[in-house]
Every structure is written in structure tokens, then in C-alpha cells.
Amino acid sequence: MNSGTISMRYARALLAYAKEQGAEELIYENMTRLLHTLVIMRELPVLLRAPSLSKRERVELICSAVEDNPVFKRFAELVVKEEREELLPFMAHGYISLYREDKNILAVDFTTAVEASDELKENVVAMFTGNGVAKVELTCRVNPSILGGFVCEAASKRLDASVAGSLENIRKQLVKENRKLV
């Protein structure tokens, strides 16, 4: 069976159980922390598959990355029991996506060449608020390589209004035009 299908089944089941227990927001925060931990500590998924660890130790290791709560612990116990630890990053992504969809939250990544001012951040959030969006989760990044302007990603769409992006488009046009001459 496809690992994406399995991961989404776990994510859907966890969201339904978390709603039933009134803990969906706490689980959302936990899944965000877990995903962050799995990205930062690349050796964690390998460690979770180590035969020297007992199932109880695996559950404790998974739970140590998040805020302690019984709903998440029960989820971790199920994942370990079914030996699905390698799918944890996909389950976390799935839960986060389902939660955001359920709560009408839009995740926006906003990249600038220098630190964005508070006023600019407020304007970006205001631009996306409304039209069924209850909340905007804005992630601001600084990337000096874009030279100026911004890159904004939201809802699988990307707007590149950076100087580096514009220069790259000009370069592509020039190359395309010069190929026609040859």
C-alpha cells in the first residue's frame, strides 16, 4: 500500500480522535513540533528503527519531542505498535494539512532580502485574510540572494517579485531570442 495513503489514514484518524477529545489544537502544535524535530534531528528516524530500542522507549522518544498529552501518547503507541515510525513525517504533514483545511488556516511563506517590517507583515496578512480564510500563519524568511523584492508562497501558488527572479526571467528571454538568431 502507498505510504501516502497510509499516512493520511493515520492523520485523519488522529484528527477525528483529537476533535473527540477536544485536543486538536494541542495535537496541531505537537505535530508541528514533531515535524520540526524530525527535520532538525535527521538521525531521529534512523534511531526510531534501531532494534536495540524497546517499543516503550520508542514511544517515549517520540513523545519527548512534543508537549506531553495522552492523545498524542496514544497516537505514538499505535504508530510504534504497527511499526510505522518511518511514516511519522508524512503523518505530521498530513495532520497539519487537514487541521489547516478544517480551521480555514492559510500558511503563507514570505521571503525578503532583508528583515520585513511589522507593517509589511501586517499588510501581507491583511492581503490574504477574508475570502473564507479565518487565519493566516505567516512565516517570514530572510534570503539575501533574492537581492530585493519578495517571494510569496501560499496555497500551492508562488509569486516571485524578487530582483533575482526578474533577472533570471530576463536572462531566459535573451537566451531564447539569441537561439532564434543562430
Side-chain angles (χ1 to χ4, degrees):
M1 187 175 273
N2 184 328
S3 62
T5 303
I6 294 169
S7 301
M8 285 308 289
R9 283 184 181 170
Y10 276 81
R12 278 191 193 93
L14 178 59
L15 181 60
Y17 181 63
K19 278 184 171 183
E20 188 179 289
Q21 299 298 313
E24 67 262 33
E25 187 174 345
L26 181 59
I27 298 300
Y28 173 72
E29 292 167 6
N30 281 353
M31 290 305 246
T32 304
R33 282 188 198 126
L34 177 64
L35 191 58
H36 181 72
T37 302
L38 289 167
V39 168
I40 297 231
M41 297 180 62
R42 296 189 189 276
E43 65 277 356
L44 185 58
V46 175
L47 183 60
L48 286 170
R49 290 190 297 265
S52 60
L53 286 179
S54 69
K55 290 187 181 228
R56 185 183 55 77
E57 290 171 324
R58 290 174 194 204
V59 170
E60 287 175 7
L61 186 60
I62 293 168
C63 290
S64 70
V66 300
E67 187 177 324
D68 186 36
N69 71 73
V71 174
F72 187 84
K73 185 172 184 179
R74 190 162 178 206
F75 166 73
E77 288 170 346
L78 176 66
V79 168
V80 170
K81 177 184 168 212
E82 298 297 325
E83 298 180 355
R84 302 285 193 193
E85 298 93 336
E86 73 277 0
L87 298 178
L88 274 171
F90 304 106
M91 292 175 195
H93 273 293
Y95 184 89
I96 290 167
S97 295
L98 291 170
Y99 178 85
R100 285 177 176 162
E101 183 181 318
D102 186 57
K103 302 293 183 187
N104 293 321
I105 297 172
L106 179 65
V108 177
D109 286 328
F110 191 71
T111 305
T112 54
V114 296
E115 186 71 33
S117 68
D118 289 340
E119 182 182 352
L120 178 59
K121 291 175 188 177
E122 289 171 10
N123 288 340
V124 171
V125 169
M127 184 173 67
F128 288 103
T129 305
N131 297 328
V133 175
K135 182 180 176 186
V136 174
E137 285 184 356
L138 181 65
T139 303
C140 292
R141 304 181 201 292
V142 175
N143 181 356
S145 71
I146 68 169
L147 304 175
F150 65 89
V151 177
C152 188
E153 297 177 62
S156 302
K157 293 186 174 40
R158 184 172 201 261
L159 172 62
D160 187 346
S162 68
V163 173
S166 297
L167 290 172
E168 180 61 19
N169 287 338
I170 292 169
R171 186 193 68 77
K172 285 179 183 177
Q173 280 182 319
L174 290 173
V175 168
K176 184 178 178 181
E177 291 297 319
N178 287 332
R179 283 189 182 155
K180 289 179 183 178
L181 296 175
V182 176

